[in-house]
Amino acid sequence: MRPTLIGPSQVMAAFVHPVTEFWIPQLFLAELDNLLGALGVQGGYHLLGQSWGGMLGAEHAVTAPPGLRSLVIADSPASMELWSAAAAGLRAQLPAEVEKVLPPSPRSTPTRRCT
């Protein structure tokens, strides 16, 4: 049996503290690295990313960290472009009274890719 860590997502905090310059993928990648180091598992670990965590896991994996043994991506979009287009299409079908109380579309905010 392997030790398993299940942690809360900081993503919800972005809705409480909507400073978009702060909540960028690099922050979450750095926090993942900090967590792996604090747990002393950076030399060998398996990672599961669900939903947004799957996208973060993919960003982490492309850096080829030496300790990453496996990555499971669950319920994550394979393409943000396709996901955004589908979400925009669904949002366009909402009644006008619902649309007017929603925050601005994410498409109006530039996306940032980790580099």
Side-chain angles (χ1 to χ4, degrees), residues 22-113:
F22 182 73
W23 300 108
I24 59 175
Q26 290 88 345
L27 169 70
F28 295 96
L29 291 169
E31 287 298 311
L32 177 58
D33 289 338
N34 289 338
L35 178 63
L36 295 170
L39 295 173
V41 297
Q42 69 274 27
Y45 58 96
H46 302 269
L47 188 60
L48 174 118
Q50 192 270 328
S51 188
W52 190 86
M55 293 181 277
L56 183 66
E59 291 285 352
H60 176 70
V62 299
T63 67
L68 181 61
R69 301 291 181 250
S70 67
L71 171 63
V72 175
I73 298 175
D75 303 320
S76 292
S79 162
M80 278 307 296
E81 185 176 332
L82 293 175
W83 181 87
S84 293
L90 291 171
R91 185 170 178 161
Q93 296 175 32
L94 293 172
E97 62 271 11
V98 173
E99 177 63 34
K100 73 180 180 181
V101 298
L102 293 176
S105 170
R107 292 184 144 248
S108 64
T109 304
T111 39
R112 295 186 180 128
R113 173 154 171 72

